[in-house]
Amino acid sequence: MIRTVLRLVPDSERATVPRYLAAVVVHALAQSVAYVLLVPLLEALFRGDLASAWGWTAGVAAAAVVVAVAGYQQAVTGIRIGVGMVHSLQTRIGDHIATLPLGWFDSTTAGRVSRLVSTSVKDAMGVFAHLLTPMVAGVLVPAGVAVGLLFIDPHVSLAMVVSAPLLYLVNRWGRRLYGRAEDRVHTASEESNARVIEFAQAQPVLRAFDAATTGNRGLQEALESQRREGRRLVWASVPGLVVFSSLVQATFVGLVYLVISQTSGGSLSAPAAIALIAVSSRFIDPLNQAAELATAARGAANAAERIRALLETPPLDEPTAPVRPQDSSVRFEAVSFAYADGATVVDDVTFEVPAGTTTALVGPSGSGKTTLLRLASRFYDVDAGRIEVGGHPVDAYPSTTLMEQFALVFQDVYLFHQSIAENVRIGRADATEGEVLSAAAVARVDEIVERLPDGWDTNVGEGGTSLSGGERQRVSIARALLKDAPIVLLDEATSALDPQNEAAVVRGVHELTRDKTVIVVAHRLSTIRHADQILFLDQGRIVERGAHDELLAAGGRYADFWGERSRAAGWHLVGSATTADGSGK
Ligand code: ADP
């Protein structure tokens, strides 16, 4: 534990650590000296030898002064290191997260990071602030007492030396049981944290579909699993605690028995016996205390381990000799990819998107279309093959240069807890007020703003929950317009938007993609039909490719798909008497 936690100490506090550890050790040793000196002190008192008693009292007092001074030192330095650690870890975690591949962020990330930054960092800090001192005392005070007694009564001393490793082993076993259970509780509570956040953010969607009660199944399952693991944790801590404290009491009884049998054998005086029994209890107390803290220490060690694991999650490799793009083409060459926990979802995919052309990705749900967009923008690194952007492999660019090439309009639009204007400005931080407004106007965000109580300054709420899905997409298009990047990665809305949003989105996308290289996960028939190249995907493979007319003429999977979708759209046209689907264009 100590080593893992020590690695998290910031450089600025590293020099304090030896001073802190020295104070902790001196504090514990001085306590054991004070306890051991009680034996001759009590003996002298019982004998009525007051002169010696005063001498020993002076010794005990001197040890007590050292305990006080060292105690003060360890408290001050411990808190200083702890506070420094919290501050530096929160900054380091923030900085490190910014370097991680985008693919690292998923639905559980928010819960995971928020727990790390709040609870885990404080748990790890507790080691210095209040855990280590009693833990070290729990080992050193009994050891010091045992060694000190060697000069007074070797038998009792030996009995202590023999029982200590046994106590240690039982304690370690108990901590292991607890540690494993604690890990499971942590994972379960991360999951439920994430589900709570998701449930809160998704309220408008859930209510719109009358699913506010049924839609929280994931949350309920996560909470149930957390409760189950919490119960298991309680049970896991029982065997270790019960066996350990029984053993501690048995050791004490054994020591008392030893002292009494030596007294009745005549080898120990009655005053010495009383003093030894008193000191034996001092041998036991710190052990008990350390055992009680061991579970907290184990929790702190787990917390430190989780922080370390996050800080050691490899960031995206940044190239040593960065390149600049030659154009805005994109090329996939024999690319295969699987998500960390699953089967291959992109299987030997090769295609080229020449600069300034549009490629539509079409195919059944789950066939890997969205994944291709994520791979192009290096959310993840591929498992095999390579992806080139602007004539160079994606990993030859510094991540900022690569991201400069792309404007992303994905379905899961995240809006910050800021005004609409600030949310559009995310597209390009240094854009002028006029540029923000004109990008917003193209995506008809101005029309949304007119309806909001504080106009442009209206705060859109956490995650943009005060806007509808279509409206959020318009803000995201405005951001992309403002960014004006040469390659547009677009994930079209799968669900039909209301006519007003649909018209605004179509217009925004039209402007956004003009003269750009576009890869689009296409659902609208007009987008598909006008694409320069259509890739039909199934189970991660490209099964057909070509332009609309060629593919229709070929009469394969695409032709079937087109037939079905056109019939559905036609039915929709008649049924709703609108042209919302846009298939007629
Ligand atoms: P499409 O866009 O064609 O619907 P996706 O690219 O979203 O397909 O998904 C392809 C496959 O990858 C699916 O089986 C999906 O469940 C899986 N998948 C998508 N995203 C993730 C993820 N973040 N982690 C694990 N599996 C994922």
Side-chain angles (χ1 to χ4, degrees), residues 3 43 105 110 116-117 169 180 285 394 471 491:
R3 223 172 315 136
E43 264 189 312
F105 300 88
L116 262 187
V117 171
L169 286 177
R180 274 193 294 247
D285 276 356
V394 282
E471 289 170 342
D491 197 348

Side-chain angles (χ1 to χ4, degrees), residues 141-211:
V141 172
V145 168
V147 171
L149 289 189
L150 201 58
F151 302 102
I152 297 169
D153 187 303
H155 293 101
V156 175
S157 168
L158 209 67
M160 288 176 172
V161 169
V162 170
S163 56
L166 189 65
L167 288 167
Y168 171 75
L169 286 177
V170 170
N171 186 256
R172 200 172 72 160
W173 164 74
R175 273 185 317 197
R176 283 236 173 107
L177 282 186
Y178 185 85
R180 274 193 294 247
E182 214 244 0
D183 264 350
R184 286 197 300 267
V185 169
H186 189 89
T187 313
S189 71
E190 261 175 7
E191 175 67 20
S192 63
N193 261 11
R195 295 283 81 83
V196 168
I197 293 171
E198 181 188 76
F199 185 62
Q201 284 180 343
Q203 277 302 306
V205 181
L206 292 174
R207 291 191 191 183
F209 293 101
D210 196 20

Side-chain angles (χ1 to χ4, degrees), residues 111-146:
R112 196 148 34 121
V113 174
S114 85
R115 252 187 85 98
L116 262 187
V117 171
S118 53
T119 324
S120 300
V121 166
K122 292 215 180 77
D123 283 353
M125 166 213 182
V127 169
F128 293 103
H130 55 255
L131 274 180
L132 200 61
T133 303
M135 301 274 305
V136 170
V139 178
L140 284 190
V141 172
V145 168

Side-chain angles (χ1 to χ4, degrees), residues 434-464:
E435 287 170 327
V436 171
L437 291 182
S438 74
V442 174
R444 299 314 317 260
V445 171
D446 51 352
E447 192 183 82
I448 307 172
V449 168
E450 276 166 24
R451 285 188 290 100
L452 295 174
D454 295 326
W456 283 102
D457 296 327
T458 307
N459 191 313
V460 293
E462 186 85 30

Side-chain angles (χ1 to χ4, degrees), residues 4 8 85 89-90 92-93 96 115-125 186 300-313:
T4 321
L8 300 178
M85 203 163 105
L89 281 180
Q90 289 177 338
R92 272 168 74 193
I93 290 173
H96 191 69
R115 252 187 85 98
L116 262 187
V117 171
S118 53
T119 324
S120 300
V121 166
K122 292 215 180 77
D123 283 353
M125 166 213 182
H186 189 89
N302 285 353
E305 191 50 42
R306 280 188 291 271
I307 296 169
R308 191 194 58 75
L310 170 71
L311 291 177
E312 286 179 7
T313 305

Side-chain angles (χ1 to χ4, degrees), residues 18-32 66 70 74 132-133 136-137 140-141:
R19 200 143 43 93
Y20 166 73
L21 291 178
V24 168
V25 169
V26 170
H27 181 247
L29 288 182
Q31 282 182 63
S32 57
V66 176
Q74 62 79 24
L132 200 61
T133 303
V136 170
L140 284 190
V141 172

